[in-house]
Amino acid sequence: MNGYGEGLPAYRTIRMTAQDGPIAAFADEEAWRARERYPTIVGMGLPAFVAARESERGGWEILGSAADAPQGIRDSLASHFRRLAKEAGEAGRAGDRKKCRAAYEKLDWVAVDELTVLGTRYRVVRVEQFIRLGPDGPEPPRPSDPDPGEVGEAYRLPGRLKGFVIDPYTGTGLAEGLLKFDLMQFVLKAGAAPPEMRGDSLRAVETHPGGVLLPAEFAIAECGKDGRWKPHSRPAPSPQAARDRLAMDFRVMTPIREQLDTHRGAETQVRGERFPRSPLTRTGRVPAGRTTSSLGACGPVLLRATDPARHGDAASAARSCS
């Protein structure tokens, strides 16, 4: 028994609904086939972080793209409040301008991960990253994954994270719902991480037992001589954006990094002009709490005690809502 009776809170539920339209149904069918072809789920290592604000309609709205470190998100929030302060000043709302100014000045000097400004809660949210693996390696992009960018122009398109609402009440297809269930049980294995990090992972299963899957992102994966796959790039919002990053790496960074001579450097640059052969890995981002979950009674999870924080003070940035 869970003690909730019939009043189970939304963050502890997984709503699976019939998907509207042929495209959504096709995407759900693809997700189901992926469970069979790429049955193994592995973490991508370090988490990522996003800024989110609580929505009046429920859930938490993501304000922009993800960052590798929480300080990058705090800086993004400071820029957000600077913009709000400017708009308030132009509209003659001196009181609102003063409050927004106080918020961004605090973020400039203090490692704050949650604050309320003009009646709205803002939060630095931790998200987990994972991939599916099968006998032939990482899962590539699915036909239903949006890929609207032209070659070399994908960076101009907005990412899919901005505007996404972290809301457990939003229904998903059967396959994605089962993926959430799988990820709710996903914790760091003993020996795969320091004991403190594994302890955080285990505690998160209790404090944040719900979760929402964020839009898929994409990265380049590289197969080493030992047959093991490893990330070659940071996640990108679309398959074409990931290809473009690899092409740029071939054209610019690889000749420098590998200290190639003129002839070999030219060959590598030509490769950068062609379609990259490295497979694109479909990566899912999970608001952290325990791998499908980053939702607890107080909303999406903030930083863990073992996450990197400003000035190396991880403890000051840790939060709990157990």
Side-chain angles (χ1 to χ4, degrees):
M1 299 294 290
N2 56 34
Y4 290 107
E6 296 183 357
L8 193 67
Y11 70 87
R12 295 189 68 97
T13 64
I14 299 176
R15 294 189 70 240
M16 291 181 281
T17 60
Q19 298 300 288
D20 296 329
I23 296 179
F26 176 57
D28 193 44
E29 182 181 346
E30 284 189 316
W32 183 262
R33 286 198 294 264
R35 292 175 58 84
E36 300 175 348
R37 297 176 59 188
Y38 302 94
T40 304
I41 299 173
V42 297
M44 290 280 284
L46 295 176
F49 304 88
V50 297
R53 65 183 169 197
E54 192 170 21
S55 172
E56 294 180 353
R57 294 173 292 181
W60 291 72
E61 179 186 1
I62 296 177
L63 300 180
S65 58
D68 294 334
Q71 188 54 44
I73 297 302
R74 298 184 193 114
D75 294 341
S76 296
L77 279 174
S79 296
H80 177 76
F81 293 130
R82 282 185 168 85
R83 184 167 59 255
L84 292 183
K86 180 176 181 294
E87 293 172 356
E90 292 172 347
R93 304 194 308 272
D96 289 353
R97 179 179 180 275
K98 182 178 180 180
K99 292 177 182 178
C100 290
R101 179 177 179 179
Y104 70 69
E105 287 182 344
K106 185 174 184 178
L107 284 163
D108 284 344
W109 293 99
V110 183
V112 179
D113 297 317
E114 183 174 29
L115 68 169
T116 300
V117 182
L118 301 180
T120 299
R121 281 201 296 171
Y122 293 82
R123 180 174 289 184
V124 178
V125 176
R126 185 185 199 273
V127 298
E128 292 279 6
Q129 304 177 94
F130 67 92
I131 61 173
R132 282 190 175 278
L133 290 174
D136 60 342
E139 181 188 9
R142 301 171 185 170
S144 59
D145 288 325
D147 194 16
E150 297 293 333
V151 175
E153 300 293 326
Y155 71 93
R156 299 181 184 275
L157 299 177
R160 297 169 63 199
L161 279 179
K162 185 175 182 180
F164 183 87
V165 178
I166 302 172
D167 186 356
Y169 189 77
T170 303
T172 63
L174 176 62
E176 296 291 79
L178 290 174
L179 175 58
K180 285 186 186 181
F181 179 78
D182 290 341
L183 292 170
M184 286 168 63
Q185 306 169 70
F186 185 89
V187 296
L188 294 174
K189 294 182 179 180
E196 317 84 64
M197 294 182 68
R198 175 168 162 76
D200 272 351
S201 180
L202 292 170
R203 281 189 292 273
V205 177
E206 302 295 330
T207 62
H208 293 76
V212 171
L213 295 175
L214 275 64
E217 294 202 327
F218 307 86
I220 301 298
E222 181 179 13
C223 186
K225 295 180 180 179
D226 58 358
R228 302 180 63 179
W229 292 85
K230 61 181 180 180
H232 183 77
S233 70
R234 295 180 60 248
S238 70
Q240 188 55 54
R243 297 184 195 106
D244 290 346
R245 289 182 182 181
L246 181 60
M248 177 62 70
D249 186 85
F250 281 151
R251 286 197 300 265
V252 179
M253 298 307 300
T254 299
I256 298 174
R257 185 171 56 246
E258 302 296 333
Q259 298 182 344
L260 302 180
D261 57 37
T262 303
H263 176 69
R264 293 183 62 197
E267 288 181 345
T268 302
Q269 290 173 347
V270 169
R271 288 184 63 194
E273 299 297 337
R274 298 173 181 170
F275 185 84
R277 294 186 178 182
S278 295
L280 291 173
T281 302
R282 189 181 197 276
T283 68
R285 285 205 168 175
V286 183
R290 87 277 35 241
T291 36
T292 288
S293 326
S294 73
L295 292 176
C298 65
V301 69
L302 290 95
L303 276 66
R304 295 177 182 172
T306 50
D307 287 333
R310 192 176 190 178
H311 307 313
D313 184 7
S316 69
R319 295 291 186 272
S320 173
C321 60
S322 53

